[in-house]
Amino acid sequence: MIEIFDFRKGIDNGILQKLHNRSKLENKEIAKKVEEIISNVRERKDKALFEYTYMFDGINLDKSTVKVTKEEIKNAYKEVEGEFLKAIDKAIKNITEFHEKQKQSTWLDFKEGIVYGQIVRPLSQVGIYVPGGTAAYPSSVLMNGIPAKVAGVEKIVMVSPAGKKGVNPYVLVAADKIGIEDIYKVGGAQAVAALAFGTESIPKVDKIVGPGNIFVALAKRALYGHVDIDMVAGPSEVLVIADETANPKYVAADLLSQAEHDVMASSILVTTSLEVAQQVKIEIERQMEYLERKEIIEKSLKNFGAIIVVNNLKEAIGIANDIAPEHLELNISNAFEIIGEIKNAGAVFVGEYSPEPLGDYLAGPNHVLPTSGTARFFSPLSVTDFIKKMNILYYSKDSLREVKEDVITLANSEGLTAHANSIKVRF
């Protein structure tokens, strides 16, 4: 069960180090298998893709059946509830509105004899990986597909492993709602490789985004350079900063909601109140009893959960900035006053009525966030992940003449005399 650690007399770096190191993607055996799959799909294309799909998923596919049909999408609508359709429409509206504000424009600046600027272009083709099988992740479709759509990506190719009855109907409805037409019933490292290199059935893309298991994560990492990727995501995590005003029931529920993701997920409470720490521990044990994924939660909290008591908010913020959590909740009385002190977090949830699951599904900000401390240098998935920029430069002859000696000097300082000559021959 989750333990309470009292840091008021000093920080236990051993606990923090354990949390930092929990999700290292260093499995040589799986990495070797992933490399083999990638090589096979690159060389044998559809044939290898379909063989692996049968081997891992037990699904027999060929070129005529690998793509989801309009009839399958039509049938998917019959399998989802009306409440789901209403909720997903609200989510699409909110997520679209948020990402519309991230759009960037082409710009040019003019000086006498000089024009410079930047052209913004969307990527041409993007691949979205959506986990499948027995689970349903329609929110993953929205969070990856909507910013790509807002950016103006011409073609979105979605892959998702199918169960015996096909791709999950909730996933298909979500994809149809945002206009994704090219959906394929494949998953795993073989699907990632197919997107990276192209096969007879699946087109090659410029970038691959979306979460997956360790095979998918390692495949994306191995293929970076052949294609761009969003990030190599690790297990999910939440860190809650709470003071004496926090509601232990709410805090416990939020820690549990993250722990149910995976046995590798991390749920951490950092609080200035020993009483709150103790009450949260009691609430966790009480609420966990009626949760369906109790077994997963218990392992997650035992291995990578922690309740940490500190002297003050400054210490709490220092721990948060060190861990750089994917999700950071501020359940404190003066939350907006200290936001400026938060340096490292994927997303910040302010106040007791802004729980992390709100961001997972409906609020609008993207839920594809940096994990495993990478919030120190990575940002959430956004419209900017689906664009590229080209610089524009024009100088007239007179403008070049004014700076030619400076350019020649700088080129010669690097020993690049041909660079200098490129300027000299024009005068």
Side-chain angles (χ1 to χ4, degrees), residues 130-139 160-163 166-172 261 293:
V130 180
T134 58
Y137 295 98
S139 62
S160 185
V167 176
N168 186 281
Y170 293 92
V171 167
L172 290 182
H261 271 293
R293 297 169 70 87

Side-chain angles (χ1 to χ4, degrees), residues 46-266:
D46 267 358
K47 189 172 183 181
L49 177 64
F50 298 148
E51 285 175 1
Y52 284 124
T53 299
Y54 182 73
M55 183 189 303
F56 297 131
D57 300 329
I59 306 295
N60 250 322
L61 296 174
D62 57 33
K63 193 171 183 179
S64 66
T65 59
V66 66
K67 188 174 183 179
V68 172
T69 64
K70 291 182 179 179
E71 188 67 22
E72 287 174 295
I73 293 173
K74 184 179 178 181
N75 290 335
Y77 276 89
K78 299 175 184 177
E79 297 186 48
V80 302
E81 305 83 8
E83 290 80 4
F84 171 77
L85 295 175
K86 291 177 182 177
I88 204 166
D89 283 340
K90 289 181 182 178
I92 290 169
K93 179 178 181 293
N94 292 343
I95 297 166
T96 301
E97 287 178 354
F98 180 87
H99 289 85
E100 285 281 356
K101 298 181 188 298
Q102 297 176 336
K103 291 173 74 172
Q104 297 187 25
S105 301
T106 294
W107 60 270
L108 295 173
D109 201 4
F110 300 87
K111 298 181 180 180
E112 187 175 348
I114 301 172
V115 179
Y116 60 77
Q118 186 172 265
I119 293 178
V120 176
R121 291 275 188 266
L123 300 181
S124 296
Q125 298 194 136
V126 167
I128 295 178
Y129 188 97
V130 180
T134 58
Y137 295 98
S139 62
S140 185
V141 178
L142 303 187
M143 292 296 182
N144 287 278
I146 289 176
K149 284 284 185 179
V150 170
V153 173
E154 296 172 20
K155 188 179 184 67
I156 298 176
V157 181
M158 192 177 101
V159 295
S160 185
K164 298 297 183 183
K165 296 181 179 180
V167 176
N168 186 281
Y170 293 92
V171 167
L172 290 182
V173 168
D176 184 65
K177 283 276 188 180
I178 62 172
I180 298 177
E181 298 178 351
D182 298 290
I183 306 169
Y184 296 88
K185 308 167 190 175
V186 290
Q190 62 271 23
V192 178
L195 289 171
F197 299 119
T199 72
E200 295 89 346
S201 298
I202 297 179
K204 182 182 186 301
V205 300
D206 302 315
K207 183 165 188 164
I208 301 171
V209 300
N213 60 19
I214 189 171
F215 284 86
V216 172
L218 288 174
K220 286 170 67 178
R221 186 170 74 178
L223 288 164
Y224 176 65
H226 295 284
V227 290
D228 191 17
I229 62 171
D230 48 355
M231 61 186 78
V232 178
S236 197
E237 60 211 18
V238 67
L239 188 149
V240 180
I241 295 179
D243 62 12
E244 71 281 356
T245 68
N247 187 320
K249 182 186 296 185
Y250 299 166
V251 174
D254 294 355
L255 295 173
L256 289 165
S257 75
Q258 208 63 29
E260 77 170 342
H261 271 293
D262 191 307
V263 296
M264 293 291 290
S266 178

